[in-house]
């Protein structure tokens, strides 16, 4: 699923494809915002970790997991 993270005082957002479920991402974000964790820690599809200080989070957009469309055709 696609996750977009807005960081305060940063001109661009962080975009990653994560294998985590929407509930796991939401739990990690809520823990970071509640002060239970100093960092928001997410793992992308390739196993890389993305760490964002919780006090710098502007927004987090959790997208739906979509299957890749291949080929030509009318939609």
């Amino acid at each position: 699923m696609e996750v977009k993270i807005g960081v305060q005082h940063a001109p661009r957002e962080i975009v990653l494809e994560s294998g985590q479920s929407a509930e796991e991402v939401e739990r990690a974000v809520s823990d970071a915002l509640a002060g239970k964790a100093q960092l928001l820690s997410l793992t992308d599809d390739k196993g890389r970790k993305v760490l964002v200080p919780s006090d710098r989070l502007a927004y987090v957009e959790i997208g739906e997991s979509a299957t890749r469309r291949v080929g030509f055709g009318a939609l």
Side-chain angles (χ1 to χ4, degrees), residues 7-74:
V7 181
Q8 295 177 10
H9 309 295
R12 297 188 334 173
E13 61 191 11
I14 299 169
V15 180
L16 64 119
E17 286 291 326
S18 178
Q20 295 172 308
S21 68
E23 292 80 20
E24 290 173 330
V25 173
E26 186 175 352
R27 190 176 321 113
V29 171
S30 64
D31 286 348
L33 293 176
K36 295 179 183 176
Q38 296 284 329
L39 297 170
L40 171 62
S41 175
L42 299 175
T43 305
D44 71 358
D45 284 344
K46 297 180 182 178
R48 296 178 291 201
K49 280 198 165 207
V50 176
L51 303 171
V52 180
S54 59
D55 61 342
R56 298 290 183 206
L57 287 174
Y59 64 91
V60 177
E61 183 179 314
I62 303 170
E64 296 181 23
S65 55
T67 58
R68 295 181 81 178
R69 297 181 185 171
V70 178
F72 299 96

